Amino acid sequence: LSQRTFLTTESRIVAIGDLHGDLQKTVSALKLAGVLDISESGAPLWCGGDTVIVQVGDLLDRGDHEIQILHLFLRLKEQAKASGGDVFLLNGNHESLNICGDFRYVTSGGFVESARVAGLPPELAGNFQAQLKARIALFAPGGPIAQELANSYVALKINDTVFAHGGIMPHHIEYGLGRLNDEMSMWMRGENDARSPILAMGSPDSVLWCREYSREVWKTPVDQNRSCAILSKVLKELDANQMVVGHTPQERGCNSACDGKVWRIDVGMSSGVCNARAQVIEILPPSGGRSSSEIKIIKSEGSLFQPLRRK
């Protein structure tokens, strides 16, 4: 992945936030993005032309259709590439939790789905211990789903926009974003001597857990100025104009802060989080004399929020 960490495109980019196992909201977000059609037989069809989709992580947990969502994105990626587009997935903290065997946020439906994907016979599919063993086999490093998630990024830069689940800090750049991508991939694949990358997922200021830029309300103006100053330093070092992050549900929907230098796109759309209506952001590449991308929010009318559940 390190060879594909810094990319350029002349296509429109659509970024999608956390989905947490909610297939209905996933379909809604993809339709909002203008890339998904459904055939008469119910099969998903890419209709986005050369559009590039970036999903910023947390497909897993809190919902019943996690693996189905992952496979939907992978199927659309194949179709998109045939049309000149692409689909990029990022790993979130909930992907890393599941690879570590931490299933505390998995729903009963998620365990049932794991049993089905693992091919358990009907007489075992309803047994929780069998479901648990099936999920461990699927998600442990080197397992079939872990192998698929190994192709997802920790961090990605396309044109002048940087994407991360939680956020990128100066020490992540010093370590190397491509290096983090490769180390996460090797660990998920179960390669010999590969260890989970601490800077990617092992602490509150790791890429997957960072909330430095995603607070809707900072405690004080000093805190806000500090966060924005760190962000400005990171963007300058990466020769970027903005960062797109998920991870922290935004009760007012997709929004920007720090003079447009960070876009927060986790709107809590999953029924397992806030049950908000789907929103995405569209990023048009620099062109016509513009030195930076043009970003707008695409949303369905109205939003319904339930009490927020911290991740």
Side-chain angles (χ1 to χ4, degrees), residues 60-78:
L60 302 183
D61 289 339
R62 304 192 185 279
D64 297 343
H65 300 98
E66 313 151 281
I67 300 172
Q68 191 172 352
I69 292 170
L70 172 62
H71 289 168
L72 170 60
F73 275 106
L74 296 181
R75 184 170 182 175
L76 289 176
K77 181 179 179 71
E78 292 182 5

Side-chain angles (χ1 to χ4, degrees), residues 4 46 49 51 75-87:
R4 294 177 284 127
W46 176 266
T51 297
R75 184 170 182 175
L76 289 176
K77 181 179 179 71
E78 292 182 5
Q79 298 178 19
K81 295 187 79 165
S83 298
D86 213 332
V87 175

Side-chain angles (χ1 to χ4, degrees), residues 15 122 203:
S203 65

Side-chain angles (χ1 to χ4, degrees), residues 9-36:
T9 183
E10 295 181 358
S11 302
R12 73 189 279 261
I13 302 168
V14 177
I16 301 173
D18 306 33
L19 295 168
H20 282 301
D22 191 323
L23 181 61
Q24 181 179 350
K25 294 296 176 60
T26 300
V27 169
S28 295
L30 289 166
K31 286 186 172 182
L32 267 183
V35 300
L36 177 65

Side-chain angles (χ1 to χ4, degrees), residues 227-244:
S227 295
C228 292
I230 295 172
L231 175 62
S232 294
K233 178 181 179 181
V234 166
L235 293 176
K236 183 177 180 180
E237 290 190 30
L238 291 173
D239 192 25
N241 288 317
Q242 57 274 324
M243 186 182 299
V244 175

Side-chain angles (χ1 to χ4, degrees), residues 211-231:
R211 299 188 196 271
E212 186 69 45
Y213 314 125
S214 53
R215 301 179 181 91
E216 283 196 275
V217 179
W218 274 273
K219 291 181 179 179
T220 69
V222 172
D223 290 333
Q224 181 174 0
N225 290 338
R226 174 186 173 276
S227 295
C228 292
I230 295 172
L231 175 62

Side-chain angles (χ1 to χ4, degrees), residues 229-267:
I230 295 172
L231 175 62
S232 294
K233 178 181 179 181
V234 166
L235 293 176
K236 183 177 180 180
E237 290 190 30
L238 291 173
D239 192 25
N241 288 317
Q242 57 274 324
M243 186 182 299
V244 175
V245 299
H247 186 45
T248 303
Q250 306 291 303
E251 296 197 38
R252 56 194 172 103
C254 292
N255 64 84
S256 65
C258 300
D259 296 322
K261 290 184 172 125
V262 62
W263 285 81
R264 295 88 70 89
I265 66 168
D266 178 8
V267 299

